[in-house]
């Protein structure tokens, strides 16, 4: 499941350790991972139904986080507009 892979690639300590091993000896600002390195990553795969469930939950959590960020930004803009209008009345 593609979203399960995204979850493991972005959140898994075991994958992070493998990636760090590939980047050993490189400078911090020039880390790169080749397609071959990605293909060589080892991860335990649960049954496909569990992969799909985990992937779907992960996808929804990312979308929810983005919505919350946008909502917070919009709330901030709204508050600044209200403050600005109050200042204009002074």
């Amino acid at each position: 499941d593609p979203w399960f892979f995204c979850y493991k690639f972005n959140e898994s300590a075991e994958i992070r350790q493998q990636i760090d091993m590939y980047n050993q000896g490189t400078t911090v600002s020039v880390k790169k991972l080749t397609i071959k390195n990605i293909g060589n990553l080892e991860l335990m795969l649960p049954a496909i139904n569990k992969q799909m469930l985990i992937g779907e939950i992960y996808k929804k959590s990312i979308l929810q986080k983005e919505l919350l960020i946008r909502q917070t930004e919009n709330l901030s803009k709204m508050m600044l507009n209200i403050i600005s209008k109050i200042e204009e009345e002074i």
Side-chain angles (χ1 to χ4, degrees):
D1 181 75
W3 278 103
F4 176 79
F5 178 78
C6 287
Y7 160 72
K8 289 301 261 185
F9 188 80
N10 292 321
E11 310 295 337
S12 170
E14 66 181 305
I15 296 296
R16 178 70 37 223
Q17 289 174 344
Q18 291 179 53
I19 291 170
D20 289 345
M21 283 188 347
Y22 287 122
N23 287 319
Q24 231 172 5
T26 61
T27 57
V28 177
S29 62
V30 188
K31 290 183 179 181
K32 64 181 183 177
L33 198 58
T34 65
I35 299 286
K36 182 179 178 185
N37 294 115
I38 293 172
N40 289 334
L41 292 174
E42 294 181 18
L43 60 133
M44 298 292 291
L45 293 176
I48 189 66
N49 61 333
K50 283 191 178 184
Q51 288 181 45
M52 292 171 73
L53 177 61
I54 292 168
E56 187 64 25
I57 292 168
Y58 185 66
K59 178 173 87 172
K60 285 181 179 180
S61 73
I62 289 173
L63 295 174
Q64 186 65 39
K65 180 180 175 182
E66 289 300 316
L67 288 173
L68 287 170
I69 289 169
R70 274 194 234 142
Q71 184 179 19
T72 302
E73 290 169 351
N74 288 338
L75 184 59
S76 264
K77 287 176 186 176
M78 185 179 77
M79 289 298 126
L80 290 173
N81 284 335
I82 291 170
I83 291 170
S84 177
K85 289 197 186 295
I86 292 171
E87 285 182 323
E88 287 174 5
E89 294 175 358
I90 296 176

